Tab-separated table of all heavy atoms in Angstrom:
chain	number	residue	atom	x	y	z
A	27	PRO	N	7.779	-22.534	43.702
A	27	PRO	CA	8.483	-22.047	42.496
A	27	PRO	C	8.813	-20.667	42.614
A	27	PRO	O	9.882	-20.142	42.193
A	27	PRO	CB	7.471	-22.181	41.294
A	27	PRO	CG	6.056	-22.521	41.976
A	27	PRO	CD	6.355	-23.154	43.440
A	28	GLN	N	8.164	-19.671	43.335
A	28	GLN	CA	8.375	-18.320	43.429
A	28	GLN	C	9.637	-18.002	44.080
A	28	GLN	O	10.277	-16.979	43.917
A	28	GLN	CB	7.271	-17.547	44.000
A	28	GLN	CG	5.911	-17.635	43.453
A	28	GLN	CD	5.095	-18.873	43.889
A	28	GLN	OE1	5.646	-19.753	44.561
A	28	GLN	NE2	3.797	-18.793	43.583
A	29	VAL	N	10.086	-18.864	44.923
A	29	VAL	CA	11.306	-18.558	45.768
A	29	VAL	C	12.535	-18.313	44.926
A	29	VAL	O	13.504	-17.709	45.388
A	29	VAL	CB	11.490	-19.490	47.031
A	29	VAL	CG1	10.221	-19.524	47.923
A	29	VAL	CG2	11.970	-20.747	46.630
A	30	ALA	N	12.555	-18.756	43.731
A	30	ALA	CA	13.747	-18.715	42.846
A	30	ALA	C	13.963	-17.227	42.729
A	30	ALA	O	15.024	-16.634	42.542
A	30	ALA	CB	13.619	-19.427	41.519
A	31	GLN	N	12.877	-16.347	42.497
A	31	GLN	CA	12.929	-14.951	42.267
A	31	GLN	C	13.378	-14.188	43.538
A	31	GLN	O	14.085	-13.205	43.414
A	31	GLN	CB	11.542	-14.326	41.966
A	31	GLN	CG	10.834	-14.874	40.799
A	31	GLN	CD	9.355	-14.204	40.734
A	31	GLN	OE1	8.591	-14.372	41.561
A	31	GLN	NE2	9.215	-13.389	39.717
A	32	CYS	N	13.032	-14.682	44.639
A	32	CYS	CA	13.265	-14.035	45.923
A	32	CYS	C	14.676	-14.043	46.316
A	32	CYS	O	15.276	-13.165	46.979
A	32	CYS	CB	12.495	-14.678	47.059
A	32	CYS	SG	10.749	-15.176	46.767
A	33	ALA	N	15.417	-15.250	45.865
A	33	ALA	CA	16.746	-15.478	46.188
A	33	ALA	C	17.706	-14.285	45.728
A	33	ALA	O	18.658	-14.079	46.207
A	33	ALA	CB	17.197	-16.686	45.521
A	34	GLY	N	17.255	-13.601	44.526
A	34	GLY	CA	18.130	-12.507	44.144
A	34	GLY	C	18.371	-11.514	45.252
A	34	GLY	O	19.489	-10.876	45.152
A	35	CYS	N	17.467	-11.328	45.967
A	35	CYS	CA	17.734	-10.276	47.112
A	35	CYS	C	17.803	-10.926	48.550
A	35	CYS	O	18.642	-10.601	49.323
A	35	CYS	CB	16.537	-9.238	47.161
A	35	CYS	SG	16.521	-8.312	45.567
A	36	HIS	N	16.867	-11.896	48.801
A	36	HIS	CA	16.957	-12.455	50.121
A	36	HIS	C	17.822	-13.796	50.317
A	36	HIS	O	18.017	-14.363	51.346
A	36	HIS	CB	15.619	-12.961	50.579
A	36	HIS	CG	14.544	-11.768	50.588
A	36	HIS	ND1	14.496	-10.923	51.769
A	36	HIS	CD2	13.571	-11.294	49.731
A	36	HIS	CE1	13.622	-9.902	51.537
A	36	HIS	NE2	12.996	-10.214	50.335
A	46	ALA	N	23.358	-4.877	51.190
A	46	ALA	CA	22.384	-4.186	50.475
A	46	ALA	C	21.177	-3.912	51.380
A	46	ALA	O	20.214	-3.095	50.896
A	46	ALA	CB	21.977	-5.062	49.322
A	47	GLY	N	21.110	-4.372	52.473
A	47	GLY	CA	19.971	-4.038	53.304
A	47	GLY	C	18.703	-4.845	53.189
A	47	GLY	O	17.610	-4.488	53.667
A	48	PHE	N	18.903	-6.023	52.534
A	48	PHE	CA	17.607	-6.901	52.446
A	48	PHE	C	17.547	-7.889	53.705
A	48	PHE	O	18.451	-8.476	54.012
A	48	PHE	CB	17.768	-7.746	51.215
A	48	PHE	CG	18.119	-6.986	49.820
A	48	PHE	CD1	18.899	-7.288	48.936
A	48	PHE	CD2	17.073	-5.856	49.605
A	48	PHE	CE1	19.029	-6.529	47.854
A	48	PHE	CE2	17.171	-5.191	48.472
A	48	PHE	CZ	18.202	-5.515	47.576
A	49	PRO	N	16.261	-7.916	54.239
A	49	PRO	CA	16.187	-8.544	55.414
A	49	PRO	C	16.231	-10.130	55.311
A	49	PRO	O	15.975	-10.660	54.265
A	49	PRO	CB	14.821	-8.231	56.008
A	49	PRO	CG	14.033	-7.896	54.703
A	49	PRO	CD	15.026	-7.203	53.787
A	50	ALA	N	16.710	-10.752	56.326
A	50	ALA	CA	16.648	-12.279	56.365
A	50	ALA	C	15.212	-12.622	56.629
A	50	ALA	O	14.483	-11.973	57.424
A	50	ALA	CB	17.564	-12.822	57.572
A	51	LEU	N	14.761	-13.729	56.056
A	51	LEU	CA	13.415	-14.371	56.282
A	51	LEU	C	13.542	-15.774	56.864
A	51	LEU	O	12.626	-16.150	57.438
A	51	LEU	CB	12.778	-14.574	54.815
A	51	LEU	CG	12.708	-13.369	53.891
A	51	LEU	CD1	12.146	-13.880	52.502
A	51	LEU	CD2	12.001	-12.163	54.463
A	54	GLN	N	11.925	-17.032	60.422
A	54	GLN	CA	11.009	-16.079	60.973
A	54	GLN	C	9.547	-16.905	61.117
A	54	GLN	O	9.246	-17.813	60.325
A	54	GLN	CB	10.786	-14.836	60.096
A	54	GLN	CG	11.890	-13.905	60.014
A	54	GLN	CD	12.122	-13.116	61.391
A	54	GLN	OE1	11.972	-13.675	62.518
A	54	GLN	NE2	12.581	-11.861	61.317
A	58	TYR	N	3.884	-14.483	60.745
A	58	TYR	CA	4.474	-13.174	60.700
A	58	TYR	C	4.793	-12.963	59.094
A	58	TYR	O	4.430	-11.878	58.482
A	58	TYR	CB	5.707	-12.989	61.385
A	58	TYR	CG	6.434	-11.635	61.087
A	58	TYR	CD1	5.877	-10.422	61.456
A	58	TYR	CD2	7.553	-11.612	60.247
A	58	TYR	CE1	6.402	-9.211	61.022
A	58	TYR	CE2	8.106	-10.403	59.906
A	58	TYR	CZ	7.600	-9.235	60.262
A	58	TYR	OH	8.131	-8.123	59.846
A	59	LEU	N	5.531	-13.887	58.456
A	59	LEU	CA	5.880	-13.787	57.073
A	59	LEU	C	4.683	-13.656	56.102
A	59	LEU	O	4.558	-12.886	55.217
A	59	LEU	CB	6.698	-14.983	56.568
A	59	LEU	CG	8.203	-14.947	57.226
A	59	LEU	CD1	8.918	-16.300	56.912
A	59	LEU	CD2	9.028	-13.683	56.907
A	60	GLU	N	3.678	-14.531	56.405
A	60	GLU	CA	2.394	-14.644	55.553
A	60	GLU	C	1.721	-13.256	55.736
A	60	GLU	O	1.241	-12.702	54.711
A	60	GLU	CB	1.533	-15.726	56.289
A	60	GLU	CG	0.607	-16.314	55.276
A	60	GLU	CD	-0.254	-17.383	55.990
A	60	GLU	OE1	0.213	-17.976	57.010
A	60	GLU	OE2	-1.284	-17.596	55.644
A	61	GLY	N	1.682	-12.717	56.902
A	61	GLY	CA	1.039	-11.365	57.231
A	61	GLY	C	1.724	-10.244	56.424
A	61	GLY	O	1.127	-9.274	56.010
A	62	GLN	N	3.065	-10.362	56.401
A	62	GLN	CA	3.824	-9.205	55.632
A	62	GLN	C	3.574	-9.364	54.165
A	62	GLN	O	3.333	-8.333	53.516
A	62	GLN	CB	5.276	-9.323	55.944
A	62	GLN	CG	5.710	-9.145	57.356
A	62	GLN	CD	5.016	-7.969	58.043
A	62	GLN	OE1	5.039	-6.905	57.520
A	62	GLN	NE2	4.369	-8.293	59.180
A	63	LEU	N	3.461	-10.549	53.642
A	63	LEU	CA	3.250	-10.640	52.145
A	63	LEU	C	1.876	-10.171	51.748
A	63	LEU	O	1.655	-9.528	50.753
A	63	LEU	CB	3.457	-12.145	51.720
A	63	LEU	CG	4.890	-12.638	51.760
A	63	LEU	CD1	5.016	-14.128	51.528
A	63	LEU	CD2	5.793	-11.863	50.799
A	66	PHE	N	2.031	-6.307	52.022
A	66	PHE	CA	2.643	-5.579	50.872
A	66	PHE	C	1.736	-5.631	49.746
A	66	PHE	O	1.569	-4.599	48.927
A	66	PHE	CB	3.917	-6.371	50.294
A	66	PHE	CG	5.020	-6.287	51.200
A	66	PHE	CD1	5.776	-7.417	51.791
A	66	PHE	CD2	5.659	-4.971	51.562
A	66	PHE	CE1	6.919	-7.203	52.530
A	66	PHE	CE2	6.807	-4.801	52.336
A	66	PHE	CZ	7.450	-5.848	52.821
A	71	ARG	N	1.482	-2.267	54.208
A	71	ARG	CA	2.919	-2.048	54.167
A	71	ARG	C	3.289	-1.615	52.847
A	71	ARG	O	3.245	-2.432	51.899
A	71	ARG	CB	3.458	-3.334	54.632
A	71	ARG	CG	5.062	-3.028	54.864
A	71	ARG	CD	5.710	-4.330	55.462
A	71	ARG	NE	7.070	-4.151	55.509
A	71	ARG	CZ	8.090	-4.977	55.993
A	71	ARG	NH1	7.638	-6.112	56.563
A	71	ARG	NH2	9.320	-4.743	55.981
A	72	ARG	N	3.807	-0.421	52.838
A	72	ARG	CA	4.071	0.125	51.404
A	72	ARG	C	5.536	0.077	51.096
A	72	ARG	O	6.396	0.720	51.798
A	72	ARG	CB	3.622	1.619	51.351
A	72	ARG	CG	2.107	1.723	51.341
A	72	ARG	CD	1.513	2.985	50.753
A	72	ARG	NE	1.648	4.181	51.659
A	72	ARG	CZ	0.920	4.404	52.728
A	72	ARG	NH1	-0.077	3.656	53.061
A	72	ARG	NH2	1.301	5.427	53.507
A	73	ASN	N	5.795	-0.659	50.192
A	73	ASN	CA	7.175	-0.906	49.471
A	73	ASN	C	6.985	-1.232	48.077
A	73	ASN	O	6.506	-2.300	47.848
A	73	ASN	CB	8.007	-1.852	50.347
A	73	ASN	CG	9.418	-1.946	49.840
A	73	ASN	OD1	9.643	-2.853	49.019
A	73	ASN	ND2	10.235	-1.218	50.246
A	74	GLY	N	7.512	-0.566	47.161
A	74	GLY	CA	7.422	-0.730	45.808
A	74	GLY	C	8.035	-1.842	45.323
A	74	GLY	O	7.234	-2.711	44.473
A	75	ILE	N	9.185	-2.276	45.684
A	75	ILE	CA	9.782	-3.469	45.300
A	75	ILE	C	9.010	-4.759	45.678
A	75	ILE	O	8.561	-5.563	44.923
A	75	ILE	CB	11.223	-3.597	45.874
A	75	ILE	CG1	12.137	-2.521	45.536
A	75	ILE	CG2	11.812	-5.049	45.560
A	75	ILE	CD1	13.486	-2.579	46.113
A	76	MET	N	8.611	-4.766	47.060
A	76	MET	CA	7.978	-5.947	47.532
A	76	MET	C	6.505	-6.063	46.982
A	76	MET	O	6.012	-7.097	46.891
A	76	MET	CB	8.021	-5.985	49.116
A	76	MET	CG	9.233	-6.623	49.602
A	76	MET	SD	9.692	-8.236	48.685
A	76	MET	CE	8.190	-9.174	49.050
A	78	SER	N	5.532	-5.417	44.023
A	78	SER	CA	5.549	-5.996	42.817
A	78	SER	C	5.781	-7.620	42.933
A	78	SER	O	5.098	-8.369	42.150
A	78	SER	CB	6.713	-5.441	41.892
A	78	SER	OG	7.972	-5.874	42.257
A	79	PHE	N	6.408	-7.938	43.975
A	79	PHE	CA	6.569	-9.407	44.070
A	79	PHE	C	5.355	-10.074	44.778
A	79	PHE	O	4.933	-11.249	44.503
A	79	PHE	CB	7.877	-9.818	44.887
A	79	PHE	CG	9.049	-9.528	44.084
A	79	PHE	CD1	9.843	-8.473	44.289
A	79	PHE	CD2	9.400	-10.562	43.140
A	79	PHE	CE1	10.934	-8.205	43.503
A	79	PHE	CE2	10.521	-10.267	42.195
A	79	PHE	CZ	11.181	-9.219	42.440
A	80	ALA	N	4.801	-9.291	45.696
A	80	ALA	CA	3.554	-9.892	46.393
A	80	ALA	C	2.312	-9.785	45.617
A	80	ALA	O	1.407	-10.697	45.860
A	80	ALA	CB	3.437	-9.104	47.714
A	83	LEU	N	0.877	-13.148	44.352
A	83	LEU	CA	0.690	-14.374	45.145
A	83	LEU	C	-0.665	-14.443	45.721
A	83	LEU	O	-1.230	-13.519	46.226
A	83	LEU	CB	1.717	-14.194	46.285
A	83	LEU	CG	3.256	-13.916	46.010
A	83	LEU	CD1	4.004	-13.698	47.351
A	83	LEU	CD2	3.737	-15.148	45.209
A	87	ASP	N	-0.228	-19.388	48.015
A	87	ASP	CA	1.117	-19.151	47.674
A	87	ASP	C	1.795	-18.397	48.931
A	87	ASP	O	2.977	-18.872	49.331
A	87	ASP	CB	1.383	-18.111	46.481
A	87	ASP	CG	0.811	-18.578	45.320
A	87	ASP	OD1	0.748	-19.827	44.951
A	87	ASP	OD2	0.412	-17.707	44.339
A	88	ARG	N	1.105	-17.603	49.537
A	88	ARG	CA	1.760	-16.917	50.700
A	88	ARG	C	2.032	-17.807	51.807
A	88	ARG	O	2.974	-17.833	52.381
A	88	ARG	CB	0.732	-15.795	51.337
A	88	ARG	CG	0.735	-14.569	50.308
A	88	ARG	CD	0.036	-13.404	50.932
A	88	ARG	NE	-1.253	-13.578	51.273
A	88	ARG	CZ	-2.270	-13.205	50.427
A	88	ARG	NH1	-2.010	-12.696	49.099
A	88	ARG	NH2	-3.483	-13.427	50.723
A	91	ILE	N	4.988	-20.091	50.769
A	91	ILE	CA	6.236	-19.469	50.817
A	91	ILE	C	6.699	-19.205	52.253
A	91	ILE	O	7.859	-19.314	52.599
A	91	ILE	CB	6.159	-18.069	50.039
A	91	ILE	CG1	6.046	-18.600	48.442
A	91	ILE	CG2	7.321	-17.298	50.280
A	91	ILE	CD1	5.642	-17.315	47.647
A	92	ALA	N	5.766	-18.789	53.125
A	92	ALA	CA	6.038	-18.459	54.508
A	92	ALA	C	6.469	-19.628	55.173
A	92	ALA	O	7.459	-19.639	56.003
A	92	ALA	CB	4.833	-17.828	55.147
A	95	TYR	N	10.143	-20.507	54.098
A	95	TYR	CA	11.267	-19.653	54.825
A	95	TYR	C	11.287	-20.053	56.256
A	95	TYR	O	12.339	-20.006	56.805
A	95	TYR	CB	11.030	-18.192	54.400
A	95	TYR	CG	11.524	-17.803	53.091
A	95	TYR	CD1	10.559	-17.441	52.097
A	95	TYR	CD2	12.927	-17.933	52.829
A	95	TYR	CE1	11.067	-17.165	50.891
A	95	TYR	CE2	13.296	-17.571	51.577
A	95	TYR	CZ	12.470	-17.172	50.546
A	95	TYR	OH	12.877	-16.799	49.161
A	150	PRO	N	8.790	-10.816	65.258
A	150	PRO	CA	9.848	-11.265	64.446
A	150	PRO	C	11.201	-11.057	65.210
A	150	PRO	O	11.383	-10.279	66.002
A	150	PRO	CB	9.778	-10.411	63.229
A	150	PRO	CG	9.088	-9.112	63.672
A	150	PRO	CD	8.070	-9.610	64.733
A	151	ARG	N	12.080	-11.918	64.633
A	151	ARG	CA	13.490	-11.761	65.224
A	151	ARG	C	14.223	-10.432	64.611
A	151	ARG	O	13.902	-10.066	63.426
A	151	ARG	CB	14.317	-12.945	64.536
A	151	ARG	CG	15.864	-12.812	64.800
A	151	ARG	CD	16.512	-14.309	64.315
A	151	ARG	NE	16.717	-13.991	62.891
A	151	ARG	CZ	16.251	-14.895	61.939
A	151	ARG	NH1	15.452	-15.794	62.227
A	151	ARG	NH2	16.475	-14.569	60.627
A	152	LEU	N	14.843	-9.667	65.450
A	152	LEU	CA	15.418	-8.513	64.937
A	152	LEU	C	16.963	-8.668	64.930
A	152	LEU	O	17.715	-8.023	64.207
A	152	LEU	CB	15.198	-7.371	66.012
A	152	LEU	CG	13.723	-6.963	66.276
A	152	LEU	CD1	13.650	-5.921	67.375
A	152	LEU	CD2	12.936	-6.645	65.030
A	155	GLN	N	19.451	-8.368	61.699
A	155	GLN	CA	18.955	-7.830	60.560
A	155	GLN	C	19.691	-6.451	60.194
A	155	GLN	O	20.305	-5.825	61.124
A	155	GLN	CB	17.348	-7.361	60.701
A	155	GLN	CG	16.410	-8.515	60.961
A	155	GLN	CD	16.172	-9.317	59.495
A	155	GLN	OE1	17.043	-9.370	58.765
A	155	GLN	NE2	14.950	-9.719	59.369
A	158	GLN	N	20.169	-0.515	58.462
A	158	GLN	CA	19.393	0.384	57.600
A	158	GLN	C	17.925	-0.178	57.532
A	158	GLN	O	17.037	0.586	57.476
A	158	GLN	CB	20.042	0.365	56.265
A	158	GLN	CG	19.452	1.502	55.326
A	158	GLN	CD	19.504	2.893	56.021
A	158	GLN	OE1	20.604	3.406	56.362
A	158	GLN	NE2	18.304	3.662	56.262
A	159	TYR	N	17.842	-1.416	57.338
A	159	TYR	CA	16.467	-1.970	57.168
A	159	TYR	C	15.656	-1.752	58.415
A	159	TYR	O	14.520	-1.373	58.458
A	159	TYR	CB	16.547	-3.585	57.058
A	159	TYR	CG	15.212	-4.216	57.044
A	159	TYR	CD1	14.333	-4.156	55.883
A	159	TYR	CD2	14.806	-5.027	58.181
A	159	TYR	CE1	13.007	-4.656	56.133
A	159	TYR	CE2	13.518	-5.557	58.213
A	159	TYR	CZ	12.637	-5.363	57.182
A	159	TYR	OH	11.410	-5.963	57.253
A	160	LEU	N	16.292	-2.034	59.672
A	160	LEU	CA	15.631	-1.755	60.933
A	160	LEU	C	15.180	-0.414	61.055
A	160	LEU	O	14.141	0.084	61.414
A	160	LEU	CB	16.417	-2.228	62.093
A	160	LEU	CG	16.715	-3.703	62.141
A	160	LEU	CD1	17.791	-4.140	63.210
A	160	LEU	CD2	15.440	-4.603	62.380
A	162	ASN	N	14.684	1.762	58.626
A	162	ASN	CA	13.536	2.077	57.790
A	162	ASN	C	12.183	1.713	58.328
A	162	ASN	O	11.344	2.427	58.125
A	162	ASN	CB	13.751	1.454	56.378
A	162	ASN	CG	14.867	1.953	55.512
A	162	ASN	OD1	15.387	2.975	55.993
A	162	ASN	ND2	15.394	1.232	54.523
A	163	GLN	N	12.247	0.533	58.929
A	163	GLN	CA	10.838	0.092	59.422
A	163	GLN	C	10.371	1.002	60.493
A	163	GLN	O	9.252	1.396	60.571
A	163	GLN	CB	10.967	-1.365	60.020
A	163	GLN	CG	11.532	-2.464	59.056
A	163	GLN	CD	10.897	-2.309	57.590
A	163	GLN	OE1	9.688	-2.314	57.602
A	163	GLN	NE2	11.661	-1.996	56.537
A	166	ASP	N	9.176	3.985	58.970
A	166	ASP	CA	8.033	3.795	58.241
A	166	ASP	C	6.697	3.817	58.998
A	166	ASP	O	5.644	4.275	58.804
A	166	ASP	CB	7.999	2.387	57.493
A	166	ASP	CG	8.846	2.519	56.136
A	166	ASP	OD1	9.367	3.552	55.743
A	166	ASP	OD2	9.143	1.394	55.631
A	167	TRP	N	6.849	3.277	60.294
A	167	TRP	CA	5.707	3.312	61.278
A	167	TRP	C	5.460	4.794	61.551
A	167	TRP	O	4.304	5.134	61.706
A	167	TRP	CB	6.006	2.492	62.537
A	167	TRP	CG	5.545	1.140	62.307
A	167	TRP	CD1	4.285	0.739	62.196
A	167	TRP	CD2	6.278	-0.043	62.504
A	167	TRP	NE1	4.207	-0.756	62.128
A	167	TRP	CE2	5.518	-1.217	62.286
A	167	TRP	CE3	7.707	-0.339	62.606
A	167	TRP	CZ2	5.847	-2.532	62.334
A	167	TRP	CZ3	8.138	-1.692	62.584
A	167	TRP	CH2	7.245	-2.777	62.530
A	171	SER	N	3.570	4.474	56.647
A	171	SER	CA	3.646	3.599	55.560
A	171	SER	C	3.870	2.204	55.853
A	171	SER	O	3.822	1.268	55.076
A	171	SER	CB	4.729	4.170	54.550
A	171	SER	OG	5.949	4.351	55.268
A	172	ARG	N	3.880	1.943	57.240
A	172	ARG	CA	3.762	0.509	57.645
A	172	ARG	C	2.624	0.685	58.692
A	172	ARG	O	2.836	1.242	59.757
A	172	ARG	CB	5.112	-0.060	58.175
A	172	ARG	CG	5.092	-1.557	58.351
A	172	ARG	CD	6.385	-2.167	58.682
A	172	ARG	NE	6.138	-3.557	59.192
A	172	ARG	CZ	7.033	-4.538	59.434
A	172	ARG	NH1	8.420	-4.112	59.358
A	172	ARG	NH2	6.706	-5.650	59.912
B	301	HEC	C1	14.777	-6.964	44.334
B	301	HEC	C2	14.943	-7.354	45.646
B	301	HEC	C3	13.838	-8.174	46.195
B	301	HEC	C4	13.279	-9.306	45.836
B	301	HEC	C5	13.620	-10.092	44.486
B	301	HEC	C6	12.408	-9.815	46.768
B	301	HEC	N1	12.377	-8.980	47.925
B	301	HEC	FE1	11.434	-9.212	49.730
B	301	HEC	N2	12.249	-7.511	50.311
B	301	HEC	C7	12.932	-6.617	49.645
B	301	HEC	C8	13.183	-5.461	50.328
B	301	HEC	C9	13.982	-4.131	49.965
B	301	HEC	C10	12.533	-5.582	51.591
B	301	HEC	C11	12.264	-4.535	52.664
B	301	HEC	C12	11.017	-3.720	52.356
B	301	HEC	C13	10.673	-2.771	53.356
B	301	HEC	O1	11.660	-1.909	53.799
B	301	HEC	O2	9.513	-2.604	53.901
B	301	HEC	C14	11.856	-6.898	51.511
B	301	HEC	C15	11.064	-7.476	52.469
B	301	HEC	C16	10.477	-8.659	52.452
B	301	HEC	C17	9.692	-9.185	53.593
B	301	HEC	C18	9.412	-8.591	54.879
B	301	HEC	C19	10.493	-9.129	55.870
B	301	HEC	C20	10.276	-8.715	57.328
B	301	HEC	O3	11.168	-9.043	58.179
B	301	HEC	O4	9.295	-8.157	57.643
B	301	HEC	C21	9.183	-10.508	53.084
B	301	HEC	C22	8.441	-11.382	53.942
B	301	HEC	C23	9.657	-10.637	51.755
B	301	HEC	N3	10.491	-9.561	51.354
B	301	HEC	C24	9.580	-11.704	51.049
B	301	HEC	C25	9.924	-11.835	49.651
B	301	HEC	C26	9.478	-12.913	48.768
B	301	HEC	C27	8.558	-14.092	49.221
B	301	HEC	C28	10.075	-12.671	47.645
B	301	HEC	C29	9.927	-13.545	46.282
B	301	HEC	C30	8.546	-13.839	45.857
B	301	HEC	C31	10.739	-11.477	47.683
B	301	HEC	N4	10.634	-11.077	48.950
B	301	HEC	C32	11.473	-10.967	46.581
B	301	HEC	C33	13.556	-6.851	48.445
B	301	HEC	C34	13.242	-7.963	47.649
Side-chain angles (χ1 to χ4, degrees):
Q28 297 89 348
V29 303
Q31 299 178 297
C32 321
C35 295
H36 297 285
F48 301 133
L51 310 177
Q54 291 287 39
Y58 172 76
L59 294 173
E60 208 181 330
Q62 299 313 306
L63 292 171
F66 285 127
R71 180 171 174 183
R72 289 200 288 280
N73 180 270
I75 297 175
M76 274 312 301
S78 67
F79 288 100
L83 304 177
D87 295 336
R88 288 192 293 270
I91 292 170
Y95 280 114
R151 177 179 78 242
L152 306 178
Q155 292 289 34
Q158 187 61 54
Y159 172 75
L160 296 171
N162 290 348
Q163 304 316 303
D166 282 354
W167 270 299
S171 47
R172 194 168 168 177

